[in-house]
């Protein structure tokens, strides 16, 4: 069918009126809690911190920094990208810490803890690592040098030394490290990190290990093996990227089983995404879900703290990673606290 120019022009208002993205219900509910801040609530409940991920790309937003720098709100900071391998050692033996130092300085100047993220991961690797065709001896030395340099530069911190070593079925992830070194790269990284800073807390961090199941069991077996070999391992990070209405029902049991192995537990990357658009019902369920996660941590003494994977929808990675989903954090894109904020407070 062919349309005349006049007909096309007549259609333009209707075309332009089509929303570019899902539109939320009007008059959505907001948080009602009257507290000094989430970190203050967590400390009063006996936990070490509530923190958030952030990075230098966010620091020009004055609304964000006003909240981020409020130590009643957040007592811990995780650099989302600026401590990863491609950002810190883009060329072999050449280390760049400018952006990571900015995040660390912001946190240290306010007495906030820093969670180093991360030493060894299969993503965001420079090509010299992935395509270097190193033999086992060479790659072992590279892992040792990278972890040692990174951890010694940011001493006195908590570190996700090894990030996401497992597949969902509990097998080890195939990457340049495992394919060359087998599982030994995990012990190598942990030992190098601990030697560089004996006061650092060294963790393995992964997703889909929050509830009981094959992957969580594999992580527990890995921790047992490492401990039997005398490898330092202080904690396990449960990333906790959840979907509204689908939070595992075995969080407490699973944390207790990790704690029984002699490691502490942290919720390291918490967000709870929903299929857009937001609705009052979804926000209410999200509130309950945040409360469930936080109350699970509160119920287990070995769970030391909780980190949000950014606190505002404005900078959440969710929409770009999970198309059609979003609204995963306790603050909306305009920095208005959502019911999820109340859920966190109630969880403590």
């Amino acid at each position: 069918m062919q349309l005349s120019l006049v007909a096309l022009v007549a259609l333009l208002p209707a075309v332009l009126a089509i929303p570019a993205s899902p539109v939320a219900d009007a008059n959505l509910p907001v948080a009602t809690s009257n507290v000094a801040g989430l970190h203050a609530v967590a400390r009063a409940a006996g936990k070490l911190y509530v923190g958030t991920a952030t990075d230098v790309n966010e620091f020009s937003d004055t609304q964000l920094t006003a909240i981020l720098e409020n130590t009643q709100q957040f007592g811990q900071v995780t650099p989302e990208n600026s401590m990863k391998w491609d950002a810190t050692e883009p060329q072999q033996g050449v280390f760049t810490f400018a952006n990571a130092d900015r995040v660390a300085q912001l946190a240290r100047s306010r007495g906030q803890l820093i969670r180093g993220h991360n030493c060894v991961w299969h993503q965001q690797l420079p090509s010299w690592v992935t395509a270097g065709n190193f033999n086992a001896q060479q790659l072992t030395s590279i892992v040792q040098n990278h972890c040692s340099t990174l951890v010694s530069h940011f001493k006195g911190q908590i570190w996700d030394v090894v990030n996401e070593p497992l597949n969902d079925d509990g097998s080890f992830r195939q990457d340049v490290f495992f394919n060359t070194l087998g599982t030994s790269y995990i012990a190598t990284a942990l030992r190098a990190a601990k030697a560089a800073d004996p006061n650092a807390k060294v963790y393995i961090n992964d997703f889909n290990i929050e509830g009981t199941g094959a992957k969580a069991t594999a992580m527990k077996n890995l921790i047992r093996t490492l401990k039997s070999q005398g490898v330092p391992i202080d904690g396990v990070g449960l990333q906790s990227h959840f979907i509204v209405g689908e939070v595992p029902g075995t969080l407490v049991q699973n944390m207790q089983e990790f704690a029984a192995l002699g490691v502490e537990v942290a919720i390291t990357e918490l967000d709870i995404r929903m299929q857009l658009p937001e609705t009052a019902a979804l926000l209410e369920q999200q509130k309950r879900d945040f409360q469930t996660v936080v109350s699970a941590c509160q119920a287990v003494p070995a769970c030391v703290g909780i980190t949000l994977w950014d606190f505002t929808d404005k900078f959440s990675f969710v929409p770009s990673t999970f198309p059609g989903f979003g609204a995963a954090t306790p603050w909306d894109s305009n920095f208005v606290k959502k019911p999820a904020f109340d859920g966190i407070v109630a969880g403590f």
Side-chain angles (χ1 to χ4, degrees):
M1 178 178 69
Q2 291 184 327
L3 293 174
S4 68
L5 180 59
V6 172
L8 285 170
V9 171
L11 284 172
L12 275 176
V15 172
L16 293 174
I18 297 173
S21 58
V23 177
D25 288 356
N27 302 314
L28 291 173
V30 298
T32 59
S33 299
N34 183 18
V35 295
L38 295 179
H39 178 62
V41 171
R43 293 290 291 173
K47 295 303 176 183
L48 189 59
Y49 61 83
V50 164
T52 183
T54 188
D55 223 316
V56 294
N57 62 297
E58 303 177 3
F59 289 177
S60 61
D61 191 308
T62 55
Q63 285 182 283
L64 178 134
T65 55
I67 300 170
L68 176 65
E69 295 172 3
N70 178 355
T71 55
Q72 296 294 300
Q73 205 67 263
F74 297 117
Q76 177 270 324
V77 170
T78 301
E80 190 168 354
N81 290 299
S82 61
M83 289 186 183
K84 290 173 180 172
W85 200 312
D86 60 349
T88 54
E89 194 182 4
Q91 301 175 56
Q92 187 171 3
V94 178
F95 286 85
T96 58
F97 295 118
N99 286 339
D101 282 341
R102 285 184 63 194
V103 181
Q105 176 57 32
L106 179 144
R108 285 172 173 161
S109 68
R110 289 160 180 81
Q112 294 166 316
L113 299 171
I114 303 166
R115 186 177 198 93
H117 182 78
N118 51 61
C119 294
V120 180
W121 187 33
H122 68 281
Q123 292 188 35
Q124 292 179 236
L125 291 169
S127 60
W128 73 263
V129 176
T130 57
N133 295 314
F134 299 110
N135 63 33
Q137 183 177 1
Q138 291 169 326
L139 191 56
T140 296
S141 178
I142 287 166
V143 169
Q144 289 171 330
N145 184 58
H146 183 77
C147 294
S148 176
T149 303
L150 199 58
V151 173
S152 62
H153 187 82
F154 300 101
K155 283 195 172 183
Q157 309 307 324
I158 312 160
W159 273 96
D160 294 325
V161 176
V162 177
N163 197 46
E164 301 176 4
L166 298 175
N167 294 312
D168 280 350
D169 64 1
S171 62
F172 285 94
R173 187 182 296 277
Q174 306 287 306
D175 60 17
V176 63
F177 304 111
F178 180 83
N179 294 344
T180 306
L181 300 172
T183 60
S184 70
Y185 82 90
I186 298 171
T188 295
L190 289 165
R191 286 187 168 121
K194 199 69 166 181
D197 181 9
N199 294 319
K201 291 278 191 177
V202 294
Y203 273 64
I204 301 176
N205 188 52
D206 216 326
F207 63 91
N208 288 350
I209 60 168
E210 300 84 5
T212 57
K215 192 172 186 180
T217 298
M219 182 63 75
K220 291 163 195 168
N221 290 336
L222 173 58
I223 291 169
R224 288 190 188 94
T225 299
L226 292 169
K227 282 187 163 289
S228 73
Q229 297 171 348
V231 178
I233 172 72
D234 296 309
V236 58
L238 313 181
Q239 289 187 11
S240 305
H241 295 293
F242 295 131
I243 299 172
V244 166
E246 298 182 22
V247 172
T250 53
L251 294 175
V252 171
Q253 175 191 341
N254 196 46
M255 289 183 197
Q256 290 171 334
E257 290 175 3
F258 277 118
L261 301 177
V263 294
E264 62 186 36
V265 178
I267 295 172
T268 55
E269 305 182 21
L270 177 61
D271 55 28
I272 306 180
R273 64 188 182 269
M274 65 181 68
Q275 190 157 11
L276 299 175
E278 292 173 88
T279 65
L282 285 170
L283 289 169
E284 181 60 31
Q285 180 62 51
Q286 185 185 53
K287 172 185 172 180
R288 290 193 293 269
D289 291 341
F290 268 99
Q291 181 174 350
T292 296
V293 175
V294 174
S295 63
C297 180
Q298 182 62 22
V300 180
C303 183
V304 297
I306 295 171
T307 305
L308 305 173
W309 205 242
D310 225 314
F311 66 89
T312 168
D313 295 340
K314 184 171 183 178
F315 292 105
S316 171
F317 86 115
V318 166
S320 63
T321 305
F322 303 99
F325 285 81
T329 76
W331 276 258
D332 72 13
S333 295
N334 296 313
F335 300 99
V336 175
K337 298 186 191 81
K338 294 150 59 176
F341 184 95
D342 294 339
I344 296 172
V345 172
F348 285 120

